[in-house]
Amino acid sequence: MSLIVALDSPDREFGSLVEDLCDIVDGFKLGLPLLMGRGVDYAARLRSRCNRGLWIADLKLADIGHVMKLTTSLVVEHVDAVIAHGFVGIQGALGELKEFLNSLGKKLVVVASMSHPGAREVYDKALPLILNVIGELEPWGIVAPATRPQVITSIRERLGDSVTILSPGVGAQGAEPGAAICAGADYEIVGRLITSSNDPRAAALAVKDAQKQRLQACKRGA
Ligand code: O7M
């Protein structure tokens, strides 16, 4: 099963949690509150506790290429991938960022849609245009909401198998573990359900187990 843990809280020491989860999860996503609150060197310190899996800086960049590259350069050496919004377009923005990341051997992940209810107000309406951007840009990965699996299915149909789909919204935001994977996602991103648990390792193992059961059920067509 494919599980990435979101680390967001700026006032929390995540070192032992990272070490505890290292052998059972597929990676960690570092949120802006964490990176701004603890400083980018904290990413390196966390990574030294688990040098495996995918480490992602969730910068949610949305700026001109020049500025997105400056922001990225502050943290990129400590991570494998960086997240940017898709609505800024390619020319003078995502195209430059992708080239920069490619030159460093790092991955670009683009937000296609979001998990919160307000995503219906703008993001869903803009989705066809954002998918045009993603189709042309060909980033390594995209973000699509576990809370609305039908969006994932339609994106997968449109973009095919070559793009990696990462899906947040599991647990605290209401999506069941495994639902996004059944709909076509490659990874589920889980934050508070695991990080706020008294026993994060047990919570992560429970998520993986629930993913497995859900996947078996959806393969049977349930
Ligand atoms: O599981 P949670 O709700 O505690 O955390 C969800 C994480 O996923 C958190 O780090 C959010 O910033 C992120 N996220 C969303 O919740 N919704 C989105 O639409 C997009 C993201 C995200 O990761 O974007 C890159």
Side-chain angles (χ1 to χ4, degrees):
M1 289 303 101
S2 300
L3 174 59
I4 290 174
V5 178
L7 308 178
D8 287 310
S9 296
D11 48 9
R12 174 98 186 259
E13 176 47 58
F14 280 117
S16 58
L17 178 142
V18 163
E19 216 168 274
D20 222 25
L21 298 182
C22 185
D23 64 322
I24 57 168
V25 303
D26 299 286
F28 295 92
K29 183 179 77 74
L30 308 176
L32 263 186
L34 179 85
L35 291 169
M36 291 180 73
R38 305 296 296 249
V40 289
D41 290 346
Y42 190 59
R45 270 187 277 144
L46 284 182
R47 194 166 191 169
S48 73
R49 309 286 291 264
C50 178
N51 205 4
R52 64 170 289 278
L54 192 64
W55 283 79
I56 306 170
D58 184 2
L59 304 175
K60 289 208 184 64
L61 297 164
D63 213 318
I64 58 169
H66 171 66
V67 174
M68 292 198 290
K69 287 194 288 182
L70 286 177
T71 311
T72 297
S73 66
L74 295 174
V75 68
V76 72
E77 68 179 293
H78 308 310
V79 295
D80 307 299
V82 168
I83 300 181
H85 275 291
F87 56 73
V88 292
I90 298 175
Q91 299 253 322
L94 291 173
E96 291 179 12
L97 180 63
K98 186 182 171 200
E99 204 178 294
F100 177 63
L101 287 167
N102 278 351
S103 74
L104 299 169
K106 308 284 178 168
K107 298 173 176 21
L108 173 62
V109 177
V110 174
V111 179
S113 184
M114 294 192 70
S115 60
H116 60 299
R120 289 192 178 85
E121 296 161 21
V122 175
Y123 246 118
D124 279 4
K125 295 185 176 106
L127 186 61
L129 297 175
I130 294 174
L131 292 182
N132 286 345
V133 167
I134 289 169
E136 193 182 324
L137 183 70
E138 298 184 334
W140 172 80
I142 64 162
V143 173
T147 46
R148 290 175 299 127
Q150 70 282 5
V151 175
I152 299 174
T153 304
S154 68
I155 291 175
R156 180 58 87 196
E157 275 167 12
R158 162 82 198 276
L159 296 178
D161 286 336
S162 55
V163 74
T164 302
I165 301 181
L166 298 88
S167 191
V170 176
Q173 295 178 57
E176 301 278 340
I181 292 175
C182 282
D186 298 286
Y187 295 96
E188 289 182 337
I189 295 170
V190 183
R192 290 163 288 176
L193 182 64
I194 292 172
T195 57
S196 300
S197 164
N198 289 332
D199 186 344
R201 188 175 170 91
L205 287 170
V207 168
K208 284 170 60 117
D209 197 45
Q211 284 178 324
K212 201 159 135 196
Q213 308 228 3
R214 182 77 179 236
L215 198 58
Q216 278 165 359
C218 74
K219 277 191 177 146
R220 286 196 309 267

